[in-house]
Amino acid sequence: MANGQWYPPEWPDRIRALADGSLTPVAPKRAATVMLLKDADPGTTTAPGPAVHMLRRRASMAFAAGAYAYPGGGVDPRDEHPIRWAGPTRAWWSERLGVDEATAQAIVCAAVRETYEEAGVLLAGPTPDSVVGDTTGEDWEADRAALVTRDLSFAEFLDRRGLALRSDLLGAWTRWITPEFEPRRYDTWFFVATLPKGQRTRNASTEADRTVWIRPADAAASYDKGELLMMPPTIATLRQLTPYDSAAQALAAAPARDLTPVLAQARLEDGEIVLSWPGHDEFTKHIPTDGAPA
C-alpha cells in the first residue's frame, strides 16, 4: 500500500454490481463527526498548529477496522426533540447546513452528543456563555453510559443537569456522503470545535482501541507513509486543517467553508472502472473490469 487509504477488497465487485444495475443503493443515514482541536501548551513544542483528537477503530469493527477517525456517529431520532439550546438559532443552522430546522437541530445535537459519548467532552454549559468544567466521575459516567445505550436522550440529560447545548462552539466544516455502492451509508457533516477549558478527552468509545492528540500535518505525513489507515474524508479534512496556526483560527474559518456534499463517483472508462471523489484527485482509483484497483 503506497499510503494509508482505506480500501475494502469487496469494493470492485460492488462497484461493478452498481454499474450493471444489480445493486440498489441504500439511503444514507444522517450523521455528524467532530474534529476536536486544542493548542499546545506554551513552551512544549516549536511546531506550529493545533492538535486534533483522533481514535482508532477496533480491528473487530465491521466497517473501517483499524482506521483512524474522529468522534462521531448517527443521529438519534430524539435529537429532534425540544432541547435546551444556546448560540446561533435553529433557523441559522438550517440555512448553514442546507436542511430544515428540525434536521439541523438533530445534526448539531448528534455532533455534541457523540463527542461526549466517545470522547467524554461536553460542549454545553449552565448559561449561554459558559461551559461545564470537569465531566469525570461516577455520576457523569453513568449518564454517559445511559446516552450510549439510548436509555437517556440528550435532551433529558441536559435538562436534568440544567445545561444548554452550546451550538456556537461548533463550526460546520464539510459534508461527505458514503459511496452508493457501500452497504452502510452515512450523510455526514464534519464540524470543528476547540477543547473546553477544564475538560480532557478520554477513550470512552467501545468502538476504539486507541486515541491520540496529533497535529494534522503529522497525521497526514504518517498516512502518506502508510503508517496510519484512514478513510478519504478523514485524510482530506486533516489536510484542510494544516494551514491554521491555532484552534481558534480554524474555528473562525468554518463559516466560510463550502458544504456542498462530496460523493464518490464510479464510471467506466477504457476498460476500467474509475472511482473518484470530486475535488479530491488523490483518492482516484483505476479498477480493471476483471482485477484489483491500482
Side-chain angles (χ1 to χ4, degrees):
M1 183 186 326
N3 57 32
Q5 183 174 344
W6 178 72
Y7 192 92
E10 66 272 15
W11 269 14
D13 288 340
R14 297 191 64 84
I15 292 170
R16 284 187 279 269
L18 181 67
D20 66 25
S22 60
L23 186 153
T24 301
V26 300
K29 298 178 181 179
R30 298 193 304 272
T33 190
V34 176
M35 299 178 284
L36 193 61
L37 305 173
K38 72 172 182 178
D39 295 320
D41 294 331
T44 61
T45 179
T46 57
V52 60
H53 180 70
M54 304 189 75
L55 52 85
R56 184 175 65 187
R57 294 174 60 82
R58 292 185 182 276
S60 58
M61 297 299 295
F63 181 78
Y68 280 78
Y70 312 114
V75 167
D76 180 342
R78 296 175 299 177
D79 289 335
E80 293 187 4
H81 292 182
I83 191 171
R84 291 172 177 255
W85 186 275
T89 65
R90 293 162 181 79
W92 185 94
W93 279 107
S94 172
E95 183 175 356
R96 176 69 181 117
L97 301 180
V99 296
D100 61 70
E101 290 190 24
T103 301
Q105 174 188 298
I107 293 166
V108 172
C109 185
V112 176
R113 175 178 51 75
E114 288 285 342
T115 301
Y116 181 56
E117 289 181 13
E118 296 198 340
V121 170
L122 183 58
L123 304 177
T127 64
D129 58 357
S130 65
V131 185
V132 67
D134 186 7
T135 59
T136 60
E138 292 184 3
D139 59 332
W140 285 102
E141 177 56 25
D143 280 350
R144 192 199 63 79
L147 287 169
V148 172
T149 59
R150 299 297 182 260
D151 291 330
L152 182 68
S153 75
F154 199 58
E156 292 168 337
F157 164 69
L158 293 180
D159 189 60
R160 190 164 72 190
R161 288 187 172 271
L163 301 174
L165 181 154
R166 288 284 306 276
S167 73
D168 56 314
L169 299 182
L170 288 170
W173 191 262
T174 190
R175 178 183 177 188
W176 286 64
I177 302 176
T178 309
E180 292 181 330
F181 46 81
E182 255 294 318
R184 299 175 183 84
R185 300 190 65 213
Y186 296 94
D187 184 354
T188 305
W189 279 261
F190 287 69
F191 296 85
V192 290
T194 60
L195 179 68
K197 184 177 181 180
Q199 295 192 37
R200 57 185 185 272
T201 57
R202 57 192 177 89
N203 185 6
S205 173
T206 58
E207 299 179 356
D209 61 10
R210 184 186 184 218
T211 62
V212 296
W213 280 102
I214 187 170
R215 291 176 58 252
D218 293 338
S222 293
Y223 166 91
D224 290 336
K225 296 174 185 176
E227 297 171 351
L228 296 186
L229 183 68
M230 298 181 201
M231 292 174 279
T234 309
I235 180 59
T237 48
L238 283 170
R239 296 201 197 284
Q240 292 162 358
L241 288 172
T242 56
Y244 299 100
D245 294 329
S246 68
Q249 191 181 87
L251 185 61
R257 296 277 310 170
D258 182 9
L259 295 184
T260 301
V262 179
L263 173 65
Q265 299 176 350
R267 66 183 187 277
L268 285 172
E269 186 177 289
D270 298 328
E272 293 182 321
I273 297 172
V274 180
L275 175 62
S276 62
W277 280 259
H280 301 272
D281 293 342
E282 72 167 297
F283 306 127
T284 299
K285 293 286 186 182
H286 295 265
I287 307 164
T289 55
D290 58 354

